[in-house]
Amino acid sequence: PFWPARVCGALREDNGRFPIRFFGTAERQDMPLNGLVSFVSRPDLMDPSKLKKTLKAKFAAALAELEQSPRIGWEDDPPLWMNAGHDFVSQRVARLFGGEVDFGSV
């Protein structure tokens, strides 16, 4: 499944990725555009039925944070001058959870 996240900055020129903050975990990672999907265009991604039982509560908490506090963690986002004119900034997105995608912190 995909995990709810927010693009919190413009495309980084040094690695060609977007800075992302994940809801419910406060983890941050740089992700390539092809690893992100808009929740607006894919509401089926918010269906927890495909998740393992151990992840369902965490996923529900992440979706609740997305709905109730979409700007949470904004104080740690890159400065606005670095993001000017970028369409993905503050958009709700998701990234593939598990599988071939590495996890880490940024």
Side-chain angles (χ1 to χ4, degrees):
F2 283 80
W3 200 262
R6 173 174 52 87
V7 175
C8 56
L11 181 68
R12 292 182 49 178
E13 291 183 19
D14 60 338
N15 66 10
R17 295 171 176 237
F18 294 94
I20 306 296
R21 183 193 181 279
F22 299 99
F23 290 101
T25 67
E27 290 181 9
R28 292 175 177 266
Q29 186 172 359
D30 289 351
M31 296 290 301
L33 180 60
N34 65 1
L36 303 173
V37 177
S38 170
F39 262 113
V40 174
S41 66
R42 294 280 312 275
D44 60 300
L45 295 177
M46 292 188 248
D47 178 13
S49 66
K50 298 175 185 173
L51 291 172
K52 294 179 183 178
K53 189 175 184 177
T54 56
L55 287 177
K56 286 185 179 184
K58 292 179 182 179
F59 189 77
L63 289 177
E65 186 177 278
L66 179 149
E67 291 297 325
Q68 297 166 10
S69 305
R71 295 286 297 156
I72 193 166
W74 67 269
E75 62 277 358
D76 296 323
D77 290 351
L80 289 177
W81 62 268
M82 294 178 69
N83 301 327
H86 199 278
D87 294 339
F88 278 107
V89 175
S90 294
Q91 295 298 310
R92 296 174 181 180
V93 296
R95 70 153 214 165
L96 189 59
F97 181 75
E100 69 268 359
V101 178
D102 292 331
F103 287 96
S105 58
V106 291

